Amino acid sequence: MAGAVSGSPTVLEARGLTLDFPAAQGSLRAVDNVSFTIRQGERLVLLGPSGCGKSSILKAAAGFLSPSAGSIALRGRPITGPGPDRVVVFQEFDQLLPWKTVRDNVLFGLKRKPGLSTAEARDKADAAIERVGLARAASAYPHTLSGGMKQRVAIARALAAEPEILLMDEPFAALDALTRERLQEELVGLAETLGFTLLFVTHAIDEAILVGSRLHLLSAHPGRTVATFDVSAFGPGSWGSQDFEHVAGEVHRILFGGALRRSARPVLQEATYV
Amino acid sequence: MSEISYGRHLAAERRPGVPGRRARLAGALTSPATRRLIILLLIAILWEVGARLQNNPIMLPSLSQTAAVLFDGETAADLLASSFASLAVLLKGYSIAIGCGLVLVSIAVANRFARDVLTTLTAMFNPLPAIALLPLAMLWFGIGEKSLVFVLSFSVLWPFAAAALAGFETVPETLRLVGRNYGYRGPAYVAQILIPAALPALLTGLRLGWAFAWRTLIAAELVFGVTARQGGLGWFIFQNRNELLTDRVFAGLAAVIVIGLLVDALVFRSIEAATVRRWGMQK
């Protein structure tokens, strides 16, 4: 566990979390007896193959699913439904409201916050838009933005709402490789500046190690905990380093049982020497 | 000299973004608006020539005769009054239908049984032309505005309800989750998420409802006018045919077409341009 956060208060805690889905015959177990703790300022990544229930765990944290056994609690209070204290950034681009401009989309996330004046909300929204570098696009409609910009707006909207914990469900999976990399770096930068608490779901090992401070590995059908890793030492600068490769290989071996086949990641400067 | 003009010609041809006169003419001809205008012009010529050859204004008055009647003050005044009478009835029936439709759809969205009832009713009544209910309406409500409003509302209600229900049911799951995630519930959720997300379908429903309403009203008015002093456009057409004022019948038909097109172009298209097209929700 990262030393910086080991003494911090617990934000989100799952204890023996079990999630079932109604299926044709009875019910289908998606997540089986998963436990984890996220402390303030920590970035926990749920990592696993498709079918490991990582998105279901995130949905339970958001309050869209209720556990069939075990518990999931935010700052000690059991989660009973969705609320703006746990904001989700989805993978889909259509998470932005197409009828609202970028600024109004961000304001949309602030409207239900009690005791916030219109002027304060506007300032918060503009600050969040500035943070993700979209100040110039503040009055644009979402359909005029690229995929990367749309996800930046979604992140700005989530940040402006100042949730207890940020929940991200493969937010960069629908982006091209270069944009994805840039957004991963930006996200880590924002996390280091703002110190927010993050639960991040992905099936990409590289992304998990870069973004997370701790990894929680899950097996598929049903989702069960297989291992946890402390990866707080790795940041955007460490991609390709020996330690990084070692951890990535180890994670791959645990999850898939074989040697890691490196994903084609564009390394432009090296390519020119070849 | 000839060389210079040749060179100039080449330069003019090569300059990007400034098409030559021939290209400009071709461009104008291929624009949809121009093509429509040309088609309209052809129809007008065909009508004029056909009517003159036939030479019987009681059966088929020519375009010029119809136009003359349209521009003589008396007919124009009658037409205007009839149009207003029709539109007044239409607005009444249309708003009743849209109101009822929204209530029905709201219940159907919230309750599965109500949804089944509504889908069954729309499926049942869609093949039934509302005008077929006019005899029944006359029995129930007598000859008068009430019967017209009833038939009119009936013609709007079902297509609008079907479109609106489909619109609400196809609101993307992600948008629903986002709304609930940020703490929107009940009326705020409906107003902030469901209605704007379903707006393209709602507008389609409104537009469809308008087309049905206009047709049904004109058809119903052919049977009887409003009992007050002024009848509607359908009644105007029917009466003038009885008096064999065929040019005035044609003027009435032209008014029906023009009003139908104008409302579609001015009201619905401008609403769409200001909303769903601007937001990229509809191409």
Side-chain angles (χ1 to χ4, degrees):
Chain A
M1 188 167 291
V5 291
S6 58
S8 310
T10 299
V11 177
L12 191 81
E13 185 170 35
R15 280 279 152 266
L17 181 67
T18 301
L19 298 167
D20 291 324
F21 284 113
Q25 300 97 18
S27 69
L28 192 73
R29 182 140 296 185
V31 175
D32 189 26
N33 193 21
V34 168
S35 302
F36 57 82
T37 304
I38 306 178
R39 293 178 185 277
Q40 196 160 326
E42 203 178 13
R43 306 194 294 274
L44 183 79
V45 178
L46 298 176
L47 176 65
S50 50
C52 72
K54 51 193 189 297
S55 288
S56 303
I57 296 173
L58 187 125
K59 284 211 170 79
F64 296 127
L65 285 177
S66 36
S68 34
S71 70
I72 183 158
L74 181 78
R75 295 216 185 264
R77 294 182 306 275
I79 289 165
T80 52
D85 50 358
R86 289 148 286 137
V87 167
V88 187
V89 175
F90 295 91
Q91 178 186 331
E92 291 84 4
F93 294 150
D94 68 359
Q95 65 187 296
L96 300 183
L97 315 180
W99 55 90
K100 287 182 185 287
T101 60
V102 167
R103 182 182 286 115
D104 288 341
N105 258 289
V106 176
L107 277 171
F108 171 85
L110 290 170
K111 288 256 174 67
R112 307 297 283 183
K113 257 179 120 68
L116 198 67
S117 75
T118 317
E120 282 171 328
R122 214 180 156 79
D123 287 347
K124 271 183 196 292
D126 283 340
I129 293 166
E130 182 86 48
R131 259 184 213 295
V132 297
L134 283 179
R136 278 189 310 143
S139 32
Y141 282 98
H143 75 105
T144 60
L145 305 179
S146 67
M149 289 164 97
K150 282 179 187 164
Q151 295 310 80
R152 281 192 182 95
V153 177
I155 292 171
R157 183 170 68 184
L159 289 178
E162 292 171 346
E164 295 272 6
I165 183 168
L166 211 57
L167 309 171
M168 294 194 161
D169 190 0
E170 306 201 36
F172 310 137
L175 299 171
D176 65 272
L178 286 172
T179 312
R180 188 183 315 136
E181 246 176 88
R182 182 159 344 127
L183 276 167
Q184 285 164 355
E185 283 169 22
E186 285 178 16
L187 179 65
V188 173
L190 284 170
E192 272 159 11
T193 325
L194 302 171
F196 52 70
T197 314
L198 175 68
L199 175 64
F200 191 99
V201 162
T202 184
H203 61 262
I205 296 173
D206 289 356
E207 179 170 82
I209 299 173
L210 287 179
V211 168
S213 59
R214 201 150 52 86
L215 306 188
H216 193 96
L217 271 49
L218 297 161
S219 67
H221 306 297
R224 288 202 179 97
T225 305
V226 269
T228 58
F229 271 83
D230 182 356
V231 289
S232 50
F234 299 108
S238 51
W239 191 87
S241 73
Q242 243 179 4
D243 288 347
F244 183 99
E245 293 293 322
H246 177 73
V247 172
E250 187 70 4
V251 168
H252 190 275
R253 194 187 54 74
I254 293 171
L255 283 181
F256 304 107
L260 176 60
R261 268 172 46 222
R262 292 249 37 116
S263 57
R265 194 179 166 98
V267 187
L268 297 172
Q269 274 184 327
E270 281 175 14
T272 51
Y273 294 119
V274 177
Chain B
M1 186 66 202
S2 68
E3 253 184 53
I4 291 168
S5 66
Y6 180 60
R8 215 181 260 160
H9 177 67
L10 258 187
E13 284 238 311
R14 278 187 190 159
R15 216 150 105 212
V18 185
R21 190 183 290 171
R22 190 176 288 178
R24 245 180 311 175
L25 192 67
L29 277 177
T30 48
S31 94
T34 327
R35 266 181 293 160
R36 259 193 198 180
L37 215 67
I38 292 170
I39 291 169
L40 281 178
L41 215 68
L42 284 176
I43 293 172
I45 292 168
L46 218 64
W47 178 6
E48 184 68 33
V49 172
R52 278 179 192 228
L53 286 177
Q54 202 254 357
N55 198 22
N56 183 351
I58 286 177
M59 293 306 253
L60 180 62
S62 71
L63 171 62
S64 47
Q65 283 163 325
T66 306
V69 137
L70 249 178
F71 290 114
D72 102 60
E74 200 194 331
T75 310
D78 280 359
L79 259 181
L80 212 63
S82 302
S83 305
F84 276 123
S86 283
L87 285 172
V89 177
L90 185 126
L91 227 57
K92 226 178 266 179
Y94 190 71
S95 30
I96 290 173
I98 300 301
C100 291
L102 284 176
V103 170
L104 285 182
V105 169
S106 315
I107 300 170
V109 166
N111 178 291
R112 186 186 221 144
F113 179 72
R115 181 157 61 228
D116 290 342
V117 171
L118 186 59
T119 43
T120 311
L121 285 179
T122 49
M124 240 170 77
F125 291 137
N126 256 346
L128 180 72
I131 193 73
L133 289 179
L134 190 60
L136 202 58
M138 283 154 73
L139 181 69
W140 288 345
F141 304 110
I143 296 177
E145 197 186 278
K146 268 190 197 156
S147 292
L148 288 182
V149 170
F150 172 78
V151 173
L152 186 68
S153 315
F154 193 88
S155 75
V156 176
L157 178 58
W158 306 111
F160 172 72
L165 185 63
F168 283 118
E169 283 183 339
T170 51
V171 173
E173 185 62 22
T174 318
L175 281 183
R176 292 172 188 269
L177 290 180
V178 165
R180 290 170 58 205
N181 189 201
Y182 282 98
Y184 289 77
R185 250 179 244 105
Y189 176 70
V190 174
Q192 292 287 320
I193 298 285
L194 290 187
I195 290 180
L199 198 61
L202 287 173
L203 285 178
T204 307
L206 286 175
R207 207 168 168 176
L208 210 64
W210 153 253
F212 274 106
W214 190 232
R215 279 160 218 218
T216 306
L217 177 65
I218 300 298
E221 282 175 351
L222 286 174
V223 178
F224 62 87
V226 185
T227 38
R229 262 171 298 136
Q230 186 62 56
L233 267 177
W235 185 240
F236 175 94
I237 292 167
F238 185 71
Q239 252 185 338
N240 283 304
R241 194 221 68 112
N242 280 349
E243 293 166 33
L244 290 181
L245 299 168
T246 318
D247 42 4
R248 278 168 67 102
V249 171
F250 271 80
L253 290 174
V256 171
I257 293 173
V258 167
I259 291 173
L261 287 179
L262 272 185
V263 171
D264 192 63
L266 294 184
V267 180
F268 291 107
R269 268 178 215 277
S270 46
I271 292 177
E272 278 183 0
T275 56
V276 289
R277 278 178 215 279
R278 181 157 171 241
W279 304 330
M281 295 172 80
Q282 199 168 56
K283 289 267 143 45

